[in-house]
Structure formats: structure tokens, C-alpha cells
Amino acid sequence: MSTLDIKNAYFDRLFADADLKWLGQNTNHVPMHPAVGEAMHAAIDGERFHAYAPPAGLEALRAGIVADLGLPGASALVTDGAVAALALICRVFCKPGSRFVTTDPGWKWPLQFAAQAGAEVVEIPIWGPDYNYRLSPERLAAEVDHNTAIIYLVDPNNPLGITYTADEIGAFAAIARDVGAILIHDSTYRDFAQGHTPASLIYPEGAVTVVSFSKWLGLAGMRIGALVAYPDLMDRIAPFSTAPLGANVVAQAAALAGLSVKAEWMAEVQRIQRHNQDLIKQAVDQLPGFSMPVYPSHGNFVVVECIEAGIRPEALVAEFQTAGIMIRQGTYHTPRFGDRFIKVSTSVPVAWMEAFCALLPEMAGRARSRNDIPPLF
């Protein structure tokens, strides 16, 4: 079997398990708002899917995305999830001999897109109390030059859950402007943060804000996201799109409905996921060698360190899968620091989190001596 076959079969087994508790991909499993379901049903019942959507997205949705970000005059390009937006930006600006600068840990796929385009990928380590688990402007400035095509900032950071202040975003934007780099502000988790400043507000000529409906609205399987930039920059990006026939019309209907009820919806989602973070903290504090380096998290996930307990993250993941619970091993995010931690998603039913926390001591004990680790992705 090819690596692709093995990986796909792995996820197919997970997806086929209707009772699986998804605590590993930052997906949102809170039952959807009725308005979102009604919008999807209306789009299907009206058979709107026979026609292609507008190439940049429904005008109402584009306007809603821009308004939600507070970027008047900006332009939105609706994409098949945030990952498609990130791939497009990398394809436009990364060339052989250019540099792509980001943090370690961060999100792995844009690094691959940049490398595939011939760019040198530079990862600045931010794990650990020495760095306060965050990028500083001084360390970023030391790593960029005029060959830097893209500075990629995941904010809030996935997997750490830290977020950056307005002053820090301003400093990062000034550094990008000084070297002529595009600043990708991956804001996938902005809706879970307490305070968030879009870089496009500060660096309109060179910042691209990327958003997703997968996490806050629970539409991961619908594949709907967007990139937002001011018109001159958008005119440099849009011609390279590989999706000129528009994004999923049913997903766009759901996204538009979600924006209309966002304040009400997110209040409940935040209440649930913050409570779940508290449950994890209580469970972790009772286990010797376990810790949560960032708490509370500004994302819908937390990292739990288990290295001091002498437990391999992969063993813990494998043991939890025997109990129908999916969590994520650290190496998915970072080979350098991945042996230190697991990641647990928190935008899930409370009963799922209570099951995870109740099983954690037992699974930790079993994982400590487990050596037969199946392939994990």
C-alpha cells in the first residue's frame, strides 16, 4: 500500500465510527444552530447546487466576512476551507530562492506548500518558558531579510493557544513592511480568543487575513473559508486561484446563516469549551508529570505535556483510540517538540470531555509501558 492508502484508511476508520469522540482535530461538535441547518436544507431543497457559485463567493457572504473582521474596504475571496486560501497565497508569493518564515510549533501544511514552491522554510522555535511560548518581534526581525517572501503567523497559535496583542501585531507588521514580505495572518481560531487584531488593519498593503468556518461554526466537513485583503493586494492573488467556479454553495449558505447568529452561537460555544478546558486542567493537575504550559488557551484546544511523566504522546493517543477517543500527538505539529505533548480539542460535548478526563489516569498508566504504536497521522 502507498503512504496515501495507509493514511486515508486510518482516517476512514475514524470517520466510519459514528460513536467516536473527536478530540484531536480542533473540530467543533457542539450541535449546530437551527438557523444553520435551515439554511443548508433550503439550499438543498431548492436545488441551488446545480449552478456554480460566484467565483469569489456569494456577495452577501463576502460582505459579511469583511464586516465580521472589521476591515471596511477590504475584499474577501471565499475558498474551500482556510487551507485552500493558504495554498493559494503560498503559490503566488513563494518562489525558488525566497524565504518563508514562521514559528515552531505552528500549522504544518503551509510550510509544505512553501517548500513545494521552492522557498526556504525557516521555523523560529517558541516552545518553552524561555520564549514565553510566543514569538517576539526581536526574534522575528533577526530571522527575516529582503528575500523573505512570506511571514506566516498563526494567531491564536495552533497548538499552543497563545494570542498576540495589538502592539505585537503592529511590530510584526512593521517588520514585514520593512523587508517587503507578505504577512499571512492565519486567524482560524480568532473567534475563541479574548481580543484579536487583524494584521490587515495595520498593514493593508501587505497583510492577508485567513479565516475559517470549520472551527467556530463546526463546518469542517463542508470545506468553507476565506482570505481577506485590500483590493490592490487581492488583485495580485485572485488570478492564481485554482477554483474559478466558486466554493460549495451549501456550505456558503451555512456560513452566511452562521454569521447572522454568531454572537448568540459563540456565547454558548465559548461557555462549553472553556468549561471543558477547566475539566482538563483539574484532571491534569492530579497526575504527576503532566502539565498544561498554556492555560487558559485562546483556541478551542489545549496542549498537555506528558514528557516529565515518561510517557510517549503516541502511546497515549493509541490507548485513547482503544476507548473510542481521538486526541492528537505532538509530532503532527512539530518534530522538534512533538515528543513533549498531546493536543486535546475542547469545542465538544461536555460528556465527551468528562469521558476523556475520567480515563486519563488509566490511559496514562497503560501508555507508560506500551511500545507497539500503530501508524498515526
Side-chain angles (χ1 to χ4, degrees):
M1 295 177 70
S2 69
T3 301
L4 172 64
D5 293 331
I6 296 169
K7 179 179 180 180
N8 200 69
Y10 170 82
F11 284 107
D12 190 70
R13 287 192 297 273
L14 295 177
F15 190 82
D17 183 353
D19 296 321
L20 184 72
K21 297 175 177 63
W22 293 88
L23 273 65
Q25 293 185 304
N26 305 346
T27 43
N28 187 340
H29 297 269
V30 176
M32 68 181 173
H33 192 286
V36 176
E38 290 167 7
M40 287 193 285
H41 280 288
I44 294 171
D45 293 343
E47 300 193 23
R48 300 297 304 278
F49 50 81
H50 291 303
Y52 294 118
L58 299 172
E59 284 296 299
L61 179 57
R62 298 179 70 214
I65 291 168
V66 170
D68 187 54
L69 283 169
L71 296 173
S75 177
L77 173 59
V78 178
T79 58
D80 295 323
V83 69
L86 292 164
L88 171 57
I89 302 164
C90 290
R91 185 164 58 251
V92 175
F93 296 106
C94 290
K95 302 291 186 293
S98 66
R99 304 178 89 221
F100 176 100
V101 180
T102 188
T103 62
D104 183 6
W107 200 47
K108 63 188 288 185
W109 302 112
L111 283 67
Q112 293 190 18
F113 301 149
Q116 288 163 0
E120 175 194 1
V121 174
V122 178
E123 297 179 79
I124 304 172
I126 61 171
W127 192 285
D130 289 348
Y131 306 127
N132 198 25
Y133 298 94
R134 62 199 303 112
L135 179 65
S136 70
E138 294 76 18
R139 297 184 68 222
L140 176 62
E143 294 292 347
V144 301
D145 58 24
H146 289 282
N147 289 322
T148 303
I150 289 176
I151 297 169
Y152 176 54
L153 186 71
V154 187
D155 171 37
N157 177 273
N158 178 19
L160 280 168
I162 60 93
T163 194
Y164 294 99
T165 66
D167 286 344
E168 289 171 319
I169 295 298
F172 298 147
I175 292 166
R177 180 182 286 118
D178 185 57
V179 298
I182 296 298
L183 175 57
I184 300 178
H185 196 182
D186 185 339
S187 302
T188 296
Y189 302 99
R190 65 181 290 269
D191 302 290
F192 300 100
Q194 295 180 352
H196 190 269
T197 302
S200 296
L201 196 64
I202 301 168
Y203 182 31
E205 72 274 25
V208 185
T209 302
V210 174
V211 296
S212 171
F213 289 87
S214 294
K215 313 304 182 183
W216 74 266
L217 193 54
L219 299 182
M222 298 294 288
R223 309 311 306 128
I224 183 82
L227 65 89
V228 178
Y230 280 90
D232 287 348
L233 182 54
M234 182 63 80
D235 283 343
R236 297 171 63 187
I237 297 170
F240 290 83
S241 173
T242 59
L245 301 180
N248 185 309
V249 294
V250 178
Q252 291 193 63
L256 188 56
L259 287 174
S260 74
V261 297
K262 186 172 185 178
E264 170 194 347
W265 167 251
M266 282 306 299
E268 177 64 4
V269 171
Q270 284 286 64
R271 183 191 67 79
I272 292 170
Q273 77 92 13
R274 287 173 178 162
H275 175 67
N276 285 338
Q277 289 194 32
D278 293 342
L279 292 178
I280 298 170
K281 183 69 163 60
Q282 294 167 22
V284 166
D285 285 349
Q286 297 176 36
L287 278 180
F290 281 72
S291 65
M292 290 173 62
V294 176
Y295 175 79
S297 166
H298 288 272
N300 61 331
F301 49 82
V302 298
V303 291
V304 176
E305 283 204 335
C306 53
I307 190 169
E308 296 300 325
I311 294 173
R312 292 178 60 193
E314 290 81 4
L316 202 51
V317 170
E319 288 298 338
F320 267 105
Q321 285 193 14
T322 67
I325 297 175
M326 182 210 183
I327 57 176
R328 212 61 178 272
Q329 66 281 2
T331 48
Y332 171 78
H333 286 281
T334 165
R336 184 172 1 194
F337 302 110
D339 64 333
R340 304 191 63 87
F341 69 97
I342 57 168
K343 184 184 71 176
V344 185
S345 305
T346 54
S347 52
V348 301
V350 173
W352 290 14
M353 193 57 64
E354 290 174 341
F356 167 81
C357 292
L359 285 170
L360 184 58
E362 177 188 346
M363 296 298 154
R366 287 164 51 175
R368 185 170 280 107
S369 60
R370 180 163 182 169
N371 294 313
D372 57 324
I373 309 298
L376 300 172
F377 298 94

